[in-house]
Amino acid sequence: MFRVNSIARQLGSFKSASKLSQQTRKMHVKPVKMRWLTGGVNYSYLLSTEDKTKSWLIDPAEPAEVFSALKTEELMSVEAVVNTHHHYDHSGGNGAVVSRLTELENADVQVISGSHNSPGTTQIPKHLQEYALGDLKIRCIRTPCHTQDSVCYYVSDPMSQEKAIFTGDTLFIAGCGRFFEGTGEEMDVALNRRILDGVGNSNWATTKVYPGHEYTKSNVKFVRHAVYKTAGENAALDKLEKFCNENDVTAGVFTLQDELEYNPFMRLDDPTVRDAVKDPQGSLTRAQVTDRLRTLKNKM
């Protein structure tokens, strides 16, 4: 009887330790501010495994600012430079960054992007192609519109259940990117089908959004001016407005589920959004609503 109880206690201790390990284990996302002094408010991100031995460096457009923000050991952990799209303020630093990583004897660093328009590209992932970064699983979600080579990267840690999505200039907190190479229909598909389906609805509430720019204050200003005009009309927007008025950085704080509650570009059938684009009867297509919202935003 004593032996059985002893074994039971050992099993209980093992389960507790395992549970604690899952709770304390975490992937790491380190935002790097770029071009904030000149108004660009870009982000680069260092995505790392729990032990920080393997990393992806996402959109390192300004090498000097990236190098000053990262330690040598962080740079040496980088296995790939990754671009969300080819615009210079996201991919322009590829060459200098790869050169520096090569100097650090990281000769196998890859450049992953949506097309060869990003300098030095070595791998172009297909829609929903998956990568492994240590124990992290990364799914590439192609979202053509802002540019035709836009890619969002959905990351999940099976052990800790943490999830993140790096959205470049496709999805911003409470907004979306301009339709430089696409249409309203493509942006609707990108936001409301490809991203949401690629992540899966069971994961929306736990997937943190990491956009390419810190545009949240201006996006909230637009939504408050054009759509949900009074406090109390949309509780999620009220919460976001309060947070961004008190904090400079909103990356990694809000989830895809949050976006579904306040982002008008992801609430195209909301009567309040329809009213904002002068379609109270709901006769416009979703693509037309998206186009009208973007036109309103561009005028602010």
Side-chain angles (χ1 to χ4, degrees), residues 112 123-131 138-142 152-154:
I112 301 171
Q123 296 185 26
I124 300 175
K126 296 179 180 179
H127 181 52
L128 300 183
Q129 181 173 333
E130 295 192 346
Y131 287 86
I138 304 173
R139 181 175 298 156
C140 305
I141 303 173
R142 298 192 68 102
C152 297
Y153 300 93
Y154 168 59

Side-chain angles (χ1 to χ4, degrees), residues 7-260:
I7 292 174
R9 285 195 297 271
Q10 291 177 22
L11 288 173
S13 297
F14 174 78
K15 290 179 180 178
S16 296
S18 176
K19 185 176 181 181
L20 180 62
S21 175
Q22 291 186 27
Q23 291 174 341
T24 57
R25 171 194 168 87
K26 62 181 297 183
M27 65 180 180
H28 302 277
V29 180
K30 183 173 183 176
V32 176
K33 295 179 179 180
M34 301 180 300
R35 306 174 70 240
W36 281 50
L37 296 179
T38 55
V41 288
N42 285 71
Y43 283 116
S44 176
Y45 298 102
L46 184 73
L47 168 69
S48 303
T49 55
E50 187 273 338
D51 61 5
K52 298 186 178 182
T53 61
K54 300 177 185 297
S55 301
W56 273 16
L57 185 54
I58 301 172
D59 287 348
E62 298 291 341
E65 292 182 278
V66 171
F67 295 154
S68 66
L70 300 181
K71 300 175 183 177
T72 299
E73 55 265 32
E74 290 176 318
L75 290 171
M76 292 182 68
S77 74
V78 174
E79 296 189 345
V81 170
V82 181
N83 294 153
T84 58
H85 60 293
H86 71 267
H87 284 166
Y88 79 95
D89 61 330
H90 294 262
S91 71
N94 287 2
V97 170
V98 170
S99 178
R100 175 64 175 143
L101 296 178
T102 302
E103 291 176 2
L104 294 171
E105 299 183 358
N106 191 349
D108 296 327
V109 64
Q110 300 295 307
V111 177
I112 301 171
S113 66
S115 77
H116 284 295
N117 288 328
S118 287
T121 296
T122 60
Q123 296 185 26
I124 300 175
K126 296 179 180 179
H127 181 52
L128 300 183
Q129 181 173 333
E130 295 192 346
Y131 287 86
L133 180 64
D135 291 331
L136 302 181
K137 295 182 179 180
I138 304 173
R139 181 175 298 156
C140 305
I141 303 173
R142 298 192 68 102
T143 52
C145 182
H146 180 72
T147 64
Q148 287 299 304
D149 62 1
S150 291
V151 183
C152 297
Y153 300 93
Y154 168 59
V155 186
S156 60
D157 185 333
M159 293 296 291
S160 70
Q161 302 303 311
E162 291 176 295
K163 304 172 189 73
I165 186 165
F166 299 88
T167 56
D169 288 5
T170 296
L171 171 63
F172 295 125
I173 308 298
C176 69
R178 292 177 182 262
F179 312 161
F180 285 130
E181 297 180 9
T183 64
E185 182 177 9
E186 284 182 305
M187 185 57 80
D188 177 27
V189 170
L191 296 175
N192 300 305
R193 287 174 52 190
R194 289 207 162 191
I195 287 178
L196 294 181
D197 291 349
V199 170
N201 61 1
S202 63
N203 300 313
W204 296 344
T206 51
T207 300
K208 300 292 182 66
V209 178
Y210 291 87
H213 296 263
E214 184 53 64
Y215 287 161
T216 307
K217 285 185 179 180
S218 63
N219 288 337
V220 167
K221 181 179 179 181
F222 163 68
V223 178
R224 181 64 80 197
H225 171 78
V227 187
Y228 305 110
K229 299 181 180 181
T230 59
E233 192 173 1
N234 183 309
L237 180 67
D238 295 345
K239 177 182 176 181
L240 175 63
E241 185 175 47
K242 182 177 186 298
F243 184 90
C244 70
N245 284 338
E246 297 173 352
N247 298 273
D248 291 332
V249 173
T250 60
V253 177
F254 297 91
T255 67
L256 280 177
Q257 184 60 53
D258 293 325
E259 294 302 308
L260 289 168

